[in-house]
Amino acid sequence: MIIAPSVLNANFLNLEADIKATEKGGANWIHLDIMDGNFVPNISFGPGIVQQIRKCTKLPLDCHLMIENPELHVEAFAKAGVQYITVHAEATKHLDRLLHQIKELGCKAGVSINPATPLESITEVLDLADLVLIMSVNPGFGGQSLIPYCLDKVSRLRAMKPDLQIEIDGGINLKTMPQAKAAGVNVFVIGSAIFGAEDVEAETKEFGKLLL
Ligand code: DX5
Ligand code: ZN
């Protein structure tokens, strides 16, 4: 089981402190939500910030590209030092080629689908992908509520692929995490529920207790 705090809603005026606090609280990965204002209606940060984040943690960096034309940018994120690069099936015409491109860069290749996108859109690449990220909110912003039908998608995927890294992203809190775990999730992206807490380290530990 993996806890992957998303820094999207962290305190960017004191980002290193927030990252170190969640690391001390037992976080396993750091999730980086990259947004371009085109694929999603929000803009977040790019490879330059990722390079800075790389310097302040030893945890694996789990890079979620919510951008158009991801093939043009994967190399920059690989060079910035991330371990996972996840792209949206909806954002590329050549998903098989893109997943190979990510692997050739030395990163693990993930594929993500939005809530309304059927699982069938990625079944052909399930043996190629190292990870599948099931969006449980419409991407673009932290602090939204989990969309329940996305858990059904997780269960169907887990039944197809018992050993796959299945990640969920959006609306994960102390109440919804057990539901996601029961559905078959093993990687949990948590944003506002951790970085919106008074004590980031303590809140991260609370999530860890739910996975014991
Ligand atoms: C896209 C982002 C968010 C974020 C998680 O919207 O991917 O889902 O990581 O945000 P919370 O945990 O606050 O829903
Ligand atoms: Zn994400």
Side-chain angles (χ1 to χ4, degrees), residues 160-175:
M160 290 159 72
K161 302 292 287 181
D163 301 327
L164 179 66
Q165 295 271 44
I166 300 179
E167 186 172 24
I168 197 163
D169 185 352
I172 298 301
N173 54 43
L174 292 172
K175 180 168 162 288

Side-chain angles (χ1 to χ4, degrees), residues 113 119 132-136 150 153-154 157 166-169:
I113 49 176
L119 205 48
V132 172
L133 171 54
I134 300 292
M135 289 308 297
S136 38
C150 298
K153 213 188 280 189
V154 169
L157 178 57
I166 300 179
E167 186 172 24
I168 197 163
D169 185 352

